[in-house]
Amino acid sequence: MRIFSGIQPTGQKHLGNYIGAIVQYVEGQQRAADAGDVAIFCVVDLHAMTVPWEPDEMRARVYDTAAILLAAGLDPDRCIFIRQSDVHEHTELAWHLGAVTAHGDLNRMHQFKEKSARQRDLVSADLFFYPVLMAADVLAYRANEVPVGDDQRQHVELMRDVAQRFNDRFGEQLVVPELKIPSVGARIMDLQDPTSKMSTTGGSVEGTVYVLDDAKTVEKKFKRAVTDSEDPPRIARDPSKPGVSNLIDILAAARGITPEQVEESLADARGYGDLKIATADAVNALLEPVRERYSALRADEDALEAIFAAGAEKARAITSETLRDVRAATGVGPRT
Ligand code: AQP
């Protein structure tokens, strides 16, 4: 059971990233080790180049993200923790995979459509090619499972198709991985616009809870969360109640219980205020230990670089084998 997932170093990580992905990483690191295999987690700096970025800030954002992941519980002795650009096989494999990826499939990607529509200047070829590099990230490790939030479903489906097409053409070289999305919290919504997902680039600051927000800010954001005007207020998950449903999901994920248990526990609540306060408290309890550990980890950039260097070495032991096989199968490079 080999697990791979990547996370972008763009901006600050938010509660959607935390519940949708990071919680799964920490659980996956243990599960892979228990199965005698390994989980690989990657800060994907090359993916961050697909939208406008500041070169002076890129490294700092990578360190921010790395420190959050380590503070959340990733342990470089129990998983492989890397920076994407340190392992060149990712980009080489992307080129091989591009040869079996249909241009029309990339054109259908929701994320490309949304992000290209938002670009004011250049819509880069890298933004279009993003799903191929993401496929290479995973397939280079022959990973079995990809833990992600619901917004990445389409990219993982494409990755599976690409792996299958590569194997059909060149023989069984790659593993077709399975998507793994959490049963609760796969799509955390913006607190101010609960019909849109909580997002780094698309949302509002008031509607986005950042992992590093202090406790008071988190409480304020939840108190101002948009709900609905049903009278009397009803704390239940319902498609017509996106704001309330989102708070129930967040509370369930933060406490590690089911949404039904949340509904039961708040059956006697006087109104949405009780739900908002309970959710803010649970989120603060979840994030407080991460915030506490973060500062010391972030302060030591040399230590973070050393962790990346050690991770890249372990990663290359796997990816160099995959690329050796892929090059042999595609007929590229010297005789083996
Ligand atoms: N709202 C969300 N709910 C649940 N999971 C989510 N993820 C992202 N948003 C939500 C999951 O977080 C992981 C990392 O995502 P990323 O690398 O795309 O990081 P990001 O750019 O910070 O995330 P955003 O907010 O999705 O950025 P935008 O919208 O600007 O591209 C992934 O597993 C993702 O599914």
Side-chain angles (χ1 to χ4, degrees), residues 170-183:
F170 300 108
E172 291 295 313
Q173 304 295 340
L174 302 173
V175 171
V176 181
E178 300 291 331
L179 170 76
K180 182 158 188 301
I181 60 171
S183 51

Side-chain angles (χ1 to χ4, degrees), residues 45-260:
D45 52 349
L46 298 175
H47 281 292
M49 298 171 67
T50 59
V51 290
W53 84 98
E54 288 301 329
D56 296 347
E57 290 177 10
M58 175 68 98
R59 258 176 220 106
R61 296 292 87 81
V62 171
Y63 295 143
D64 295 347
T65 306
I68 287 178
L69 292 173
L70 297 170
L74 287 192
D75 175 356
D77 290 331
R78 283 195 295 154
C79 68
I80 298 178
F81 186 57
I82 54 168
R83 171 172 47 203
Q84 186 184 31
S85 59
D86 293 342
V87 184
H88 298 166
E89 285 83 358
H90 291 227
T91 39
E92 185 182 341
L93 183 58
W95 194 255
H96 286 266
L97 297 178
V100 292
T101 304
H103 179 275
D105 286 347
L106 294 180
N107 243 336
R108 276 191 283 281
M109 294 293 112
H110 304 309
Q111 185 172 293
F112 174 71
K113 287 185 196 164
E114 283 158 22
K115 290 197 173 174
S116 58
R118 269 191 255 138
Q119 295 311 317
R120 267 182 253 119
D121 304 322
L122 176 80
V123 176
S124 71
D126 276 354
L127 182 62
F128 187 70
F129 211 62
Y130 179 121
V132 184
L133 180 58
M134 179 172 160
D137 293 338
V138 176
L139 301 179
Y141 296 87
R142 297 179 162 132
N144 309 96
E145 190 179 288
V146 192
V148 285
D150 185 64
D151 59 326
Q152 293 299 324
R153 182 187 290 272
Q154 194 186 30
H155 286 160
V156 176
E157 279 162 8
L158 178 84
M159 169 192 307
R160 286 170 52 80
D161 289 347
V162 167
Q164 195 57 63
R165 205 172 301 136
F166 189 92
N167 287 347
D168 290 346
R169 170 92 168 80
F170 300 108
E172 291 295 313
Q173 304 295 340
L174 302 173
V175 171
V176 181
E178 300 291 331
L179 170 76
K180 182 158 188 301
I181 60 171
S183 51
V184 181
R187 182 173 281 264
I188 301 296
M189 309 306 272
D190 187 286
L191 299 186
Q192 288 299 313
D193 174 11
T195 58
S196 303
K197 82 164 185 128
M198 195 176 279
S199 151
T200 308
T201 51
S204 61
V205 173
E206 301 75 36
T208 307
V209 174
Y210 297 104
V211 174
L212 300 179
D213 274 346
D214 61 43
K216 280 230 148 358
T217 306
V218 170
E219 198 181 307
K220 204 173 350 156
K221 287 179 178 177
F222 277 106
K223 279 189 176 161
R224 291 186 186 158
V226 168
T227 48
D228 56 59
S229 50
E230 190 171 346
D231 193 16
R234 188 166 55 93
I235 297 179
R237 284 200 304 170
D238 188 315
S240 68
K241 296 167 70 68
V244 171
S245 303
N246 188 37
L247 292 176
I248 292 173
D249 277 355
I250 293 172
L251 179 50
R255 282 197 189 152
I257 58 176
T258 65
E260 291 75 17

Side-chain angles (χ1 to χ4, degrees), residues 248-324:
I248 292 173
D249 277 355
I250 293 172
L251 179 50
R255 282 197 189 152
I257 58 176
T258 65
E260 291 75 17
Q261 286 170 317
V262 168
E263 288 168 355
E264 277 164 31
S265 73
L266 286 165
D268 299 328
R270 283 154 307 184
Y272 296 141
D274 290 357
L275 172 63
K276 292 178 178 182
I277 287 167
T279 310
D281 288 348
V283 167
N284 274 325
L286 181 73
L287 298 182
E288 193 53 45
V290 182
R291 295 193 285 249
E292 277 171 13
R293 287 190 286 264
Y294 172 82
S295 307
L297 289 161
R298 176 64 184 86
D300 195 345
E301 295 183 356
D302 289 347
L304 295 172
E305 284 293 351
I307 288 171
F308 280 141
E313 204 175 314
K314 287 195 266 177
R316 265 189 238 113
I318 302 174
T319 56
S320 58
E321 276 191 19
T322 309
L323 264 294
R324 185 199 56 209

